[in-house]
Amino acid sequence: MDAVIATLCRHPPYDRMDRESLEYLASRLTLAYYPKGATVTSSAQGVAKRLFIIQRGQVHGTAKEDGNQQGAPEYGNGDTFPLASIMGRRPTRFVYTAAEDSFCYEADAEVVDTLVQRSPVFQSFCTGRMNALLQQSYALLQAQYAQRSSGHQQLNMALGDLLRRPVLHCGPEEVLRNALATMQRANVGSIVIVDAQLRPIGIFTERDLLRLAASLAFDSGQEIKACMTPSPRCLSLSATAAEAAVLMAQLGIRHIVVVDEGRLAGVVSERDLFTLQRTSMRGIVDALQQAGSTDDLVQAATDIRSLAGNLLAQGVAAEQLIQLVATLNDRLCARVLELEASRHELAGLRMCWIALGSEGRLEQTFSTDQDNGLIFEAQMDAEQARQRLLPFAQAVNEVLNRCGFPLCKGNIMAGNPQWCLSSEEWRREFDSWNRNPLPQALLHATIFYDFRAVWGDESLARSLRSWLTEQVQDNQRFLRAMAANALQVRPPLGFFADFVTSGKDGEGNTIDLKTEGARPIVDAARILALASGCTITNTAARLRQAGEHVRMPCEEVDAYAEAFHYIQLLRLRHQLQEETSATHPNRIDPDGLNELDRRILKEALRQARKLQRRIALDYQL
């Protein structure tokens, strides 16, 4: 029994289970041998009744009985299957075949049922394999950086846990002077206006008071409904502090109303979230608003990176962290554009600065260059308008370069006349790529089709997006060419699911997390989104929306999104921690990872390979 438990404890979730539960499981396991090519289990055997844990070997879900291989799984040492089938009391979705001579521990389904009841760790693992592994990784990351994050408030805690005192509220007919007196006595900067059922209908803050006074319309005897900010943004008690932080950054607000089933529960302020942070979001946002020079902007960019490092050390989830960083980077870029616009003669020009590539997808990491463009319309010749805009765009590119966003080596920037175009010129460019999907056109599609408005007249970007979506959605020739191009890069896993490393010029035996890890998922999500008419650009959001459109199982979509976010998290960690990140920001040596991260990375790359397989089947490639 000790030998079996020792083997199990090398792999999640068994490495975190209590001894009693492990002894229960180990005493009921048998060891079976499957030669290469043998069927381990399949739907032909009826409802799944056996749990398999691979002691040594490889098992692949090579095909379903109907020949459809979409989402087929691959398992290696320590992997457990088919949990979903056992929990759901249904036949397996796949034929599980030994890819090499393999030994598997086996247990009856009844043992699984009992183990779920006895072990919360195993129960959590059963409900979400990828998510369970990720939670272990986040916990390990927090433990490793506990000293660094000491004194910093945890942003992954629920908002309900942040509510420290009763929230001030009043009805819409309350007189303003009375509301202000209540705020002063409580020494708080906000009061929520509610209806008879305590549902928030507005909020009045110190900022509203300043706006009122500045407008010379101050009347302390008026009802508060006349001067409140209506329809305040609300989050539930279970929402995290990180979600509140992202919302505050996106909207430039300082208070989030917290509700419980629609009824007022409290208010969380920006001060509540970041009072213990050395580098706070509040300080960064204020610094950006007040920035008047390039030096101010460079300092703000440095602070954004420092804040991201603190949040990463706290174990904030990759999706939320990347959204927060992207939002702050957007505000930085917008401030650069505002300052430069005031220094150039741009009157009479409608324009929209667009982000492309990873910035357009809201997925920038810490080592990324610029990808941007300009859309404009003007009551003059397009070339004349372009000549007026180019000095402005080139100045913006240079300031962003000083802020830590290097100039694009491929010159895909708004300061390049080729990407400073009128709405009609952009349509002509996209149309030529759609009709003639040659290699260069497909390369451009992976960058330009992810465009997103950052600053200026956003209607120009919306109109272009609407037109492009209509043009591409039914263009099967173009979509098939994109799919074929996407399949040129494969996740770096060998036949036996070990890492396939590469590298040259000092890169050693490494894998490229950007090109070989994230890109397969990004490319597949883009194809699914374009084919389904989805207009959003973020990879995870594309997977969720397009997945619903093609009726992809929710658990499959979640696994793809979680795999992508883990790869992004690993990139962020590497770029912040490694001295080599300056020259090789996306390359890691898998042998340098701990056993847990190696395991999760393998699982993430398997998910990327499964998603590619789905795309290949969709387009018969």
Side-chain angles (χ1 to χ4, degrees), residues 155 181 206 286-287 319 329 427 510 594 606:
L155 290 190
E206 292 170 333
D286 287 346
E319 182 171 15
N329 284 343
R427 285 180 170 83
T510 60
N594 62 54
R606 287 185 190 126

Side-chain angles (χ1 to χ4, degrees), residues 489 491-492 512-522 564 567 604-605 608:
V489 178
D512 190 324
L513 289 175
K514 178 181 179 180
T515 301
E516 301 172 310
R519 178 181 161 185
I521 301 175
V522 169
F564 173 70
I567 293 170
L605 295 176

Side-chain angles (χ1 to χ4, degrees), residues 195-212:
D195 62 15
Q197 286 75 41
L198 288 181
R199 293 176 300 203
I201 60 173
I203 188 171
F204 186 85
T205 68
E206 292 170 333
R207 185 178 292 184
D208 293 309
L209 180 60
L210 290 173
R211 172 178 50 80
L212 196 63

